[in-house]
Amino acid sequence: MVTSPSPATGPAGGPPPHLKAAAGILAELAAQVEALGAQLCTNPEVVAHHITELQAIDLIAQKQLHLADLLLADCPHAAVEAMRIEEVKRRIGSAFPAKVA
């Protein structure tokens, strides 16, 4: 039996448009944050005095991309498993209902 997607989902049952839009914004923000960090890294004095902050900027961008991927995922569990940042993986993974054995 073939069912058509509900108005809240995209074509072929994909993510709803508002989640696609949110994911797009998160990805744009990640690119902007990465560009800012890259620009700051061109100044050796900034790098020498603010390496921890520059690493934090990179981590922010990576977290945003993980969240964007999650919003677009057909399988949220697989998206969480694919995450490389353990803190995000743990926090999002713990939000899933417990599996029944």
Side-chain angles (χ1 to χ4, degrees), residues 25-91:
I25 292 168
L26 282 169
E28 288 171 13
L29 289 170
Q32 292 170 356
V33 167
E34 286 178 337
L36 173 63
Q39 182 63 37
L40 292 171
C41 285
T42 64
N43 183 325
E45 195 170 306
V46 170
V47 173
H49 291 96
H50 301 286
I51 191 68
T52 302
E53 292 83 358
L54 292 168
Q55 290 171 334
I57 287 172
D58 181 57
L59 186 59
I60 290 166
Q62 289 179 48
K63 286 179 179 181
Q64 288 173 311
L65 290 174
H66 279 328
L67 294 174
D69 289 344
L70 178 63
L71 292 175
L72 296 175
D74 289 332
C75 177
H77 293 279
V80 170
E81 285 302 314
M83 291 179 176
R84 296 178 313 274
I85 299 173
E86 287 301 318
E87 176 203 0
V88 177
K89 188 176 191 175
R90 178 185 49 75
R91 289 176 65 188

